[in-house]
Amino acid sequence: MANQNPKSKNLTITYIGGGSKGWAWGLMSDLAVEPELAGTVRLYDIDAESAQNNAIIGNRLSQRPDVVGNWTYEAVLSLSEALEGTDFVIISIVPGSLEEMRTDVHLPEEYGIYQSVGDTVGPGGLMRALRTIPIYTDIAKHIERYAPEAWVINYTNPMTLCVRTLYAAFPGIKAFGCCHEVFGTQKLMAKMLTELHGEQDVKREDIKVNVLGINHFTWLDSATYQGRDLFPLYRDLSIQYAEEGFELRDKGHWMNSTFSSANRIHFDLFNKYGLIAAAGDRHLAEFMPLNWYLKDPETVKSWKFGLTTVDWRVKNKVQLLEKAGRLVRGEQEFELKETGEEGVKMIKALLGLGELATNVNLPNQGQLGGVPLGAVVETNALFSEASLRPVMAGTLPAAVNALVNRHVLNQETILEAALTKNKALALAAMLNDPLASSIPPDQATEMFNRMFEATKRYLPGWE
């Protein structure tokens, strides 16, 4: 495709969380193989050394003969400098340290509450949100001052409340949230077609879906391949593999990786509600009552998914730091690897280099019926030049809508609690959560107070 926008060769992208050793490296890889974009990436991070290291890694990558993207990476020391006049802002941060995450995920286990992720809902999601909302309020105010016309792409969890906070702090912001969980469900159906129905070369993008819900609790009421309705095939799949499971990778891989599953929760929810749940099992489990999928580690194992421990994250962080050192010193070559994310495709579409329809998180303008306007929801949207328009997705069936709205309203409560520094309201949100409400209220209150104290240093102005 001929370049239609000269700006695409002189872009400025600001990466907040630019010291990242995951998402930032993924962006570098995607930009490196994209011939139609070029410019400068400003890396800002409260860990300035990590941002500087990523600038070294990115600039070394740009000099390689197999790289077609012409990018300069700069580490900047202030958020205002990073944002001044930028075209796109990408946010991917960790609110707090792994010690706070350890409390989020593992302290509730003392009360019999197990969490497979702990970053979106449940006790862990609540505490993470309370830490995140002040940070995102500050980011939004800086964007309003220094880059009000920039497009803002969020990858941080809790996704819903991150995007919701950006709009609460700066209503005129042009922000949206990206999540790849729906992609995994498309890949599941592509594998179903390939392995069980003899189709060849089915890509996940070939599976057309209608997306309704909220982040990590998304649902599909339509799925087609080349015009063929996939619901009857998925229904057969969910019945046939209800107990055994059907994995994207080799059979039994869920036992080797806490990020994998056998999709038994996918199938169980389909058989209960008649819609395709379109997030990973470890996320879906946390939105449901505790005794469904997360009653105890044995129950988790029986559903063939895993609990991602903070010890694993600590070990992984050490390994990534060691890898970063080797990349900075030139002892290891950066591996160009397609991430499967669509951030670069979105940027291209917003610049007028084609169109893109995909799932994103946006405030509800009516694209999802039965959910309050203004609440952040996940549906498909159409990206085109300087335009992002949500696709009207319809309304979830009453039984599923009741499940979704419980979390929508609770997330709105969490936002209000964080913005007003209201501890009693935050506790009410904890008591309303399906996981925390599964234990006696006095125990839930005690758990909340202990978790609150552990994260209080990130909550300025609270009692």
Side-chain angles (χ1 to χ4, degrees):
M1 180 187 295
N3 194 343
Q4 303 168 10
N5 187 342
K7 179 65 175 173
S8 67
K9 292 294 187 178
N10 190 30
L11 285 177
T12 301
I13 298 174
T14 296
Y15 199 114
I16 300 175
S20 158
K21 294 151 191 76
W23 289 100
W25 291 353
L27 177 68
M28 290 177 186
S29 188
D30 287 344
L31 290 176
V33 298
E34 173 50 61
E36 293 192 276
L37 301 178
T40 300
V41 179
R42 299 173 183 163
L43 303 170
Y44 169 75
D45 201 296
I46 57 173
D47 182 348
E49 182 180 0
S50 289
Q52 182 59 52
N53 285 341
N54 273 354
I56 294 169
I57 294 167
N59 288 325
R60 179 176 286 124
L61 175 64
S62 294
Q63 295 168 8
R64 279 172 36 179
D66 59 334
V67 167
V68 296
N70 184 15
W71 291 92
T72 299
Y73 290 84
E74 299 176 350
V76 293
L77 297 178
S78 71
L79 185 54
S80 56
E81 180 186 359
L83 290 170
E84 183 74 54
T86 196
D87 301 300
F88 292 89
V89 179
I90 296 173
I91 315 175
S92 176
I93 66 170
V94 177
S97 71
L98 288 176
E99 286 310 303
E100 281 73 41
M101 189 180 293
R102 187 183 300 279
T103 300
D104 293 348
V105 174
H106 295 304
L107 188 150
E109 293 173 0
E110 298 178 27
Y111 298 84
I113 296 177
Y114 292 88
Q115 299 167 102
S116 35
V117 188
D119 70 356
T120 299
V121 291
L126 166 62
M127 288 299 160
R128 185 181 174 101
L130 295 183
R131 294 195 299 273
T132 307
I133 289 168
I135 299 170
Y136 267 64
T137 298
D138 182 60
I139 290 172
K141 291 298 184 183
H142 275 80
I143 292 172
E144 182 177 25
R145 180 173 180 181
Y146 296 102
E149 297 302 317
W151 290 96
V152 181
I153 307 173
N154 179 67
Y155 287 108
T156 305
N157 289 325
M159 173 66 70
T160 299
L161 278 167
C162 288
V163 177
R164 182 71 176 86
T165 301
L166 291 173
Y167 278 92
F170 174 24
I173 201 168
K174 298 191 295 188
F176 55 92
C178 298
C179 180
H180 55 217
E181 290 292 314
V182 171
F183 300 172
T185 302
Q186 290 172 300
K187 291 175 182 176
L188 176 65
M189 287 187 279
K191 182 174 182 178
M192 171 188 74
L193 286 169
T194 301
E195 293 196 1
L196 303 182
H197 297 280
E199 299 287 350
Q200 299 298 317
D201 300 320
V202 183
K203 299 180 177 62
R204 73 102 188 148
E205 295 90 345
D206 299 331
I207 310 296
K208 305 303 179 185
V209 296
N210 187 47
V211 181
L212 312 92
I214 56 177
N215 185 240
H216 294 157
F217 202 42
T218 40
W219 299 79
L220 310 178
D221 65 358
S222 172
T224 61
Y225 173 67
Q226 296 181 347
R228 181 184 184 184
D229 182 8
L230 296 183
F231 264 60
L233 301 184
Y234 193 90
R235 182 175 295 108
D236 292 342
L237 183 75
S238 69
I239 295 171
Q240 181 178 352
Y241 290 93
E243 297 299 325
E244 178 185 350
F246 186 78
E247 299 180 62
L248 281 175
R249 298 187 64 173
D250 296 336
K251 185 175 180 179
H253 183 69
W254 68 271
M255 292 184 285
N256 304 318
S257 169
T258 58
F259 293 93
S260 298
S261 79
N263 294 300
R264 288 197 64 215
I265 294 177
H266 270 75
F267 302 149
D268 189 56
L269 290 174
F270 183 85
N271 291 327
K272 282 181 169 64
Y273 297 105
L275 294 189
I276 298 174
D281 279 11
R282 52 199 282 276
H283 280 299
L284 294 170
E286 295 186 327
F287 285 82
M288 306 307 293
L290 180 68
N291 59 2
W292 280 37
Y293 310 116
L294 288 166
K295 181 180 178 181
D296 50 42
E298 292 72 27
T299 300
V300 171
K301 186 176 180 180
S302 74
W303 284 98
K304 297 187 177 182
F305 70 107
L307 304 173
T308 305
T309 67
V310 175
D311 281 344
W312 181 92
R313 296 184 187 277
V314 170
K315 181 179 179 181
N316 185 59
K317 181 178 180 180
V318 171
Q319 293 173 345
L320 289 174
L321 284 169
E322 292 172 351
K323 180 179 178 180
R326 293 192 299 271
L327 290 170
V328 168
R329 295 188 298 270
E331 297 171 358
Q332 179 175 337
E333 188 172 76
F334 190 101
E335 180 185 3
L336 288 179
K337 184 167 64 173
E338 184 179 353
T339 66
E341 302 295 335
E342 294 187 331
V344 171
K345 293 180 181 178
M346 293 170 176
I347 290 172
K348 289 179 64 177
L350 291 169
L351 291 169
L353 305 177
E355 292 187 344
L356 176 68
T358 191
N359 57 292
V360 293
N361 292 267
L362 286 167
N364 190 20
Q365 305 168 38
Q367 66 264 34
L368 182 59
V371 172
L373 296 178
V376 169
V377 298
E378 187 163 349
T379 66
N380 285 331
L382 181 64
F383 289 76
S384 57
E385 186 170 11
S387 174
L388 173 55
R389 292 173 289 160
V391 172
M392 298 297 105
T395 303
L396 288 162
V400 178
N401 195 51
L403 299 174
V404 170
N405 258 314
R406 178 175 185 175
H407 292 283
V408 169
L409 297 175
N410 217 33
Q411 288 168 333
E412 290 293 302
T413 302
I414 294 168
L415 177 69
E416 182 181 352
L419 294 179
T420 59
K421 300 177 173 58
N422 187 327
K423 187 177 178 181
L425 198 57
L427 172 59
M430 176 79 83
L431 296 173
N432 287 343
D433 182 86
L435 296 184
S437 65
S438 299
I439 64 174
D442 59 334
Q443 292 185 25
T445 300
E446 178 184 280
M447 178 180 67
F448 170 85
N449 287 329
R450 291 178 63 194
M451 296 180 75
F452 185 88
E453 287 302 313
T455 205
K456 191 174 180 180
R457 68 190 181 101
Y458 290 92
L459 306 177
W462 289 67
E463 295 180 3

